[in-house]
């Protein structure tokens, strides 16, 4: 089992029996690489595989939701995510 959940308070990564939660202020950047959206959480990459999304609209909605929680500094470092989320 692998899941990356967005909430009002933070980002939660669930992988098997491991669960980690990070406050949104710990997320320093969001960017896309081949096959993944990557949240940089205090220099640790947390992956959201693109295959998890049913289509481009669902992927865009996920990115928009994430951007809504990032700090202004994190958004400024996430130019490609901002461009993708707001075509």
């Amino acid at each position: 089992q692998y899941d990356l959940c967005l909430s009002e308070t933070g980002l939660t990564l669930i992988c098997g029996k491991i669960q980690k939660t990070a406050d949104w202020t710990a997320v320093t950047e969001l960017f896309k690489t081949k096959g993944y959206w990557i949240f940089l959480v205090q220099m640790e990459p947390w992956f959201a595989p693109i295959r998890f999304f049913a289509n481009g609209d669902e992927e865009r909605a996920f990115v928009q939701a994430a951007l809504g929680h990032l700090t202004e500094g994190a958004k400024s470092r996430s130019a490609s995510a901002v461009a993708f989320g707001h075509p």
Side-chain angles (χ1 to χ4, degrees):
Q1 174 192 2
Y2 183 90
D3 200 7
L4 192 60
C5 306
L6 312 179
S7 74
E8 291 301 313
T9 57
L11 185 63
T12 299
L13 172 67
I14 301 166
C15 185
K17 295 185 179 194
I18 297 171
Q19 181 172 329
K20 298 192 269 186
T21 300
D23 186 86
W24 282 112
T25 59
V27 179
T28 58
E29 188 174 350
L30 172 61
F31 60 94
K32 189 175 188 177
T33 188
K34 187 177 179 180
Y36 299 92
W37 280 99
I38 300 176
F39 290 86
L40 200 53
V41 180
Q42 297 293 302
M43 299 305 295
E44 181 179 319
W46 291 15
F47 301 90
I50 293 171
R51 70 179 184 275
F52 283 4
F53 305 107
N55 55 49
D57 290 338
E58 190 176 293
E59 179 183 357
R60 182 167 279 107
F62 175 82
V63 170
Q64 288 172 337
L67 288 169
H69 295 291
L70 295 183
T71 65
E72 289 305 315
K75 283 182 196 175
S76 71
R77 290 183 289 277
S78 304
S80 63
V82 170
F84 179 83
H86 303 286

